[in-house]
Amino acid sequence: MKLALIHHQFIRRGGLEGYLLDFAKRLLERGHAIEIVASRIGPEAEALGVPIHRIAPTPFSSTLRLRNFDRAAQAFVASRKAEGTTIGFGRTTAQDLHRAGGGCHRVYSRLLGPWKRWRPKNRLELALERKLYEGGATRHFVVNAAGIGEQIGEEYGVAPERISVIHTAVDTERFHPPTDERGGSGRKGVGRPVFLFASLDHRRKGLDPLLEVWTEIDADLWIVGAPLDANDRRRIRDRGLEGRVRALGKVADLAPIYREVDFFVHPTFYDACANTVLQAMASGLPSIVSERDGASKFVAHGKSGLRLRDSADTGTLHARVEELLAMSPEERRAMGQAARERMLPLTWAAHLARWEEVIARMKDCP
């Protein structure tokens, strides 16, 4: 197949960008011809050796960059009508297929404060999303969790037959427990237990309620991803958490971090299907996962992890953390193994085969 992948940046940064680079590489390995449409290109994308169509970024204004990239992407798609399949992954409104990896922005936007909801960029994102789903220029949509498909159907009236669920792939060779057949040294097992919180957007991912309950938790919390802002640092200092909360900043490879900690905690207020949850489960970590994340559907409460219904419910969050801490080593291992086994079917081979099926079916149906 000839495929054009459209996103404003192909740089390994967050979950979507990392997925895109892996997706492109594995498509090439399966013999597909691909090209990239983007404004920002990183060295990994350059190294793929595929045609790259660069759209000059608009300087100074992120809102104008968003609008202008969509317009340029529309022009590209119009020029490639008879040449393969175009797939969008961001705020573009006209392509053959679109993958809503970030979920439904209209639903997420309702969780924002008024000052953020009414910012020009957010209003443009909402307008572009509406055009995407109601404008008719995109034929089919891919989501990574069934709940996101339901949200899109409810919010925009998209018929179920125009939405396909393709679960995110998990590299279980890379993300694995330290005590499996690879002969790792085992989790730290000394001192206080360690929980991992991974995020590039701390407010949305639930750091505030987590810090609120941590004053009563006899465990360490490692924060990976975006740097802490002044307010976060102040809260940690004022609550006397400096000895128990450790900010690691951005980490190039999370796989070894998962093998260093004991638990994973993800009290997010909104996620389509967080890669970090799937990676933590594949790494055999007992995890607390918010039900506002589509990835929570993979968690059988009490067996392969613990679910949290309301991210703002600090009482329940505290109880969930204590529940994990009260487990015996045997119970922790059993929960971690059940989590990993749940991830084993989510292979890249199955993921790509599903994409090929959806693309072929879409091409056969006018």
Side-chain angles (χ1 to χ4, degrees):
M1 295 179 179
K2 185 173 183 180
L3 307 170
L5 311 183
I6 305 169
H7 190 250
H8 70 281
Q9 59 183 12
F10 272 74
I11 297 173
R12 194 173 290 277
R13 179 180 176 272
L16 171 58
E17 290 83 4
Y19 164 81
L20 269 175
L21 288 165
D22 292 339
F23 184 55
K25 179 181 177 181
R26 292 172 187 271
L27 284 171
L28 287 172
E29 291 171 351
R30 286 173 75 94
H32 298 292
I34 70 168
E35 50 190 331
I36 290 172
V37 181
S39 288
R40 298 180 62 202
I41 303 292
E44 286 186 73
E46 296 273 12
L48 293 173
V50 302
I52 296 175
H53 304 271
R54 299 175 187 269
I55 295 174
T58 303
F60 308 121
S61 170
S62 60
T63 303
L64 289 177
R65 279 196 296 273
L66 196 66
R67 186 198 66 186
N68 292 345
F69 184 82
D70 175 53
R71 290 178 176 176
Q74 288 182 55
F76 171 85
V77 170
S79 71
R80 294 295 194 278
K81 277 298 183 184
E83 300 181 34
T85 301
T86 54
I87 309 175
F89 295 85
R91 300 290 178 211
T92 49
T93 59
Q95 53 266 304
D96 296 310
L97 277 163
H98 183 273
R99 179 182 184 266
C104 181
H105 189 70
R106 181 183 283 179
V107 173
Y108 167 62
S109 183
R110 295 190 187 113
L111 303 175
L112 300 174
W115 63 95
K116 289 187 176 181
R117 283 202 306 271
W118 289 100
R119 286 189 309 181
K121 183 181 178 183
N122 189 64
R123 293 170 68 183
L124 175 60
E125 288 178 315
L126 290 170
L128 290 175
E129 183 176 83
R130 180 176 180 178
K131 184 179 178 181
L132 167 67
Y133 294 121
E134 297 182 355
T138 298
R139 295 174 55 197
H140 199 80
F141 306 99
V142 170
V143 296
N144 52 12
I148 300 304
E150 293 168 3
Q151 290 176 6
I152 291 170
E154 292 169 0
E155 295 291 334
Y156 295 104
V158 178
E161 58 268 23
R162 294 182 63 205
I163 302 174
S164 296
V165 179
I166 303 180
H167 294 304
T168 304
V170 185
D171 186 348
T172 54
E173 289 296 310
R174 179 181 170 204
F175 298 101
H176 61 81
T179 53
D180 67 358
E181 68 275 7
R182 294 162 185 78
S185 59
R187 304 204 191 280
K188 50 193 285 305
V190 295
R192 284 190 298 263
V194 177
F195 284 73
L196 177 65
F197 172 82
S199 159
L200 290 175
D201 184 348
H202 295 333
R203 298 287 82 72
R204 175 166 63 90
K205 301 285 186 173
L207 181 59
D208 286 348
L210 197 56
L211 290 179
E212 184 175 337
V213 305
W214 218 256
T215 56
E216 303 174 37
I217 301 298
D218 187 21
D220 290 343
L221 177 65
W222 289 4
I223 301 172
V224 171
L228 298 180
D229 63 23
N231 288 329
D232 291 329
R233 294 193 298 270
R234 176 182 52 77
R235 277 191 287 267
I236 290 170
R237 183 181 62 253
D238 292 349
R239 292 170 181 172
L241 295 174
E242 291 162 303
R244 282 180 285 155
V245 175
R246 179 183 176 192
L248 303 182
K250 292 183 180 179
V251 175
D253 185 7
L254 272 174
I257 302 294
Y258 292 123
R259 294 192 284 273
E260 285 293 317
V261 303
D262 302 288
F263 305 104
F264 183 75
V265 58
H266 185 71
T268 186
F269 287 92
Y270 187 84
D271 262 303
C273 186
N275 290 335
T276 52
V277 171
L278 307 184
Q279 294 164 2
M281 292 179 70
S283 301
L285 282 174
S287 303
I288 299 168
V289 182
S290 166
E291 293 185 4
R292 296 185 183 183
D293 185 340
S296 66
K297 300 301 182 183
F298 293 106
V299 178
H301 184 73
K303 182 178 179 182
S304 56
L306 300 179
R307 293 169 64 136
L308 178 67
R309 176 165 296 183
D310 183 357
S311 303
D313 182 356
T314 55
T316 301
L317 176 58
H318 179 258
R320 294 284 186 265
V321 173
E322 294 290 4
E323 190 173 343
L324 289 185
L325 290 173
M327 287 181 173
S328 68
E330 292 74 21
E331 290 172 326
R332 294 182 190 181
R333 281 194 292 270
M335 181 173 282
Q337 182 60 31
R340 177 168 172 79
E341 288 175 359
R342 188 66 181 86
M343 294 295 101
L344 293 177
L346 301 183
T347 64
W348 268 102
H351 181 79
L352 294 171
R354 179 74 174 125
W355 266 105
E356 290 164 345
E357 173 192 335
V358 169
I359 293 169
R361 187 176 70 243
M362 186 198 70
K363 291 175 71 174
D364 291 339
C365 299

